[in-house]
Amino acid sequence: MRIAKITSAPFAFIMGYLFAFHSKTIRLVSTGWRRIKMRLWGIKFGKKCSFRGNMLFFRATGSSITIGNHCSFNSSSRFNFRGINHRCILQTREGGKITIGSHCGFSGVSIVSNVGVTIGNNVLVGANTMIGDRNGHESRFPEWQPIPITIGNNVWIGMNSVIMRGVTIGENSIIGANSVVTKDIPANVIAAGIPCKVIKKRERE
């Protein structure tokens, strides 16, 4: 046991260093290539946005995607050990609008818009979360027309959550993992469940 402890420490140090170097290299390469692709797609983005892995963009004619400063998008489970089921996706149809504030972080998120998805500043979105202002089959179900989504500042959305059309999430609120948000959530609360409901108020200093 003593020998194992002695030999494992340098090994762990070396592997940690290699992982950090690999992570930084992938981030730099992915970020550079993603910025080129965003410019080609006509997507506006701010300073120091970073990307890990192969993110997917699609901006339809007559729509817009705008990303603020210091946002990060992770599309690889290599950098999120909770597991990412798919890469980050930002997609708009004609007339759609995705607006993301500054200092936001996303892992394996899917954001789709027909009319409008607005995300504030300092928002964290856990792995595999789906945010969409449409249900996707409006031609068959005309009563399910797209309705804009608004997510306030300083919101934290847990992994595997689904944010449905027409929802507003108030600032400083936390959405528990695996929640399905079908109705508005007020500010300064903790909410979770299917459907998502307020559990308690969030005490803030």
Side-chain angles (χ1 to χ4, degrees):
M1 294 296 296
R2 186 177 180 182
I3 295 174
K5 288 182 179 180
I6 293 173
T7 56
S8 64
F11 177 78
F13 175 80
I14 293 170
M15 293 304 295
Y17 178 83
L18 290 176
F19 181 84
F21 176 78
H22 185 231
S23 174
K24 185 176 181 179
T25 301
I26 289 180
R27 180 175 61 83
L28 290 173
V29 173
S30 297
T31 296
W33 176 233
R34 242 35 80 194
R35 286 176 176 175
I36 293 172
K37 287 186 69 175
M38 285 195 295
R39 287 192 177 97
L40 293 174
W41 276 103
I43 296 170
K44 299 177 181 180
F45 57 95
K47 299 177 181 178
K48 296 186 177 181
C49 288
S50 63
F51 304 86
R52 289 186 174 98
N54 186 22
M55 185 172 175
L56 176 63
F57 302 104
F58 183 88
R59 185 189 67 82
T61 302
S63 68
S64 67
I65 299 176
T66 305
I67 303 170
N69 301 320
H70 298 273
C71 290
S72 62
F73 295 84
N74 178 27
S75 298
S76 173
S77 292
R78 189 181 297 272
F79 308 107
N80 186 325
F81 294 143
R82 292 178 182 271
I84 294 176
N85 295 335
H86 60 77
R87 55 186 169 171
C88 290
I89 300 169
L90 299 182
Q91 184 254 347
T92 56
R93 292 181 179 172
E94 185 175 358
K97 180 184 293 186
I98 295 174
T99 305
I100 299 172
S102 297
H103 300 279
C104 296
F106 306 89
S107 286
V109 69
S110 178
I111 305 175
V112 296
S113 174
N114 274 29
V115 287
V117 174
T118 302
I119 298 174
N121 300 316
N122 304 304
V123 174
L124 297 177
V125 180
N128 312 316
T129 292
M130 166 67 193
I131 303 171
D133 64 13
R134 66 173 188 264
N135 287 330
H137 297 283
E138 291 80 13
S139 59
R140 294 187 61 188
F141 303 97
E143 66 273 23
W144 289 353
Q145 292 303 306
I147 307 173
I149 290 173
T150 302
I151 298 173
N153 298 328
N154 308 308
V155 168
W156 180 10
I157 300 174
M159 65 183 297
N160 300 319
S161 294
V162 179
I163 313 301
M164 301 295 289
R165 68 191 185 105
V167 163
T168 294
I169 300 176
E171 62 181 18
N172 307 315
S173 287
I174 297 174
I175 306 299
N178 299 298
S179 296
V180 178
V181 186
T182 59
K183 295 182 179 180
D184 292 354
I185 302 297
N188 301 299
V189 300
I190 298 174
I194 304 175
C196 187
K197 296 180 180 180
V198 174
I199 297 174
K200 63 178 182 179
K201 292 184 177 180
R202 186 181 177 198
E203 301 297 332
R204 291 177 57 84
E205 297 181 0

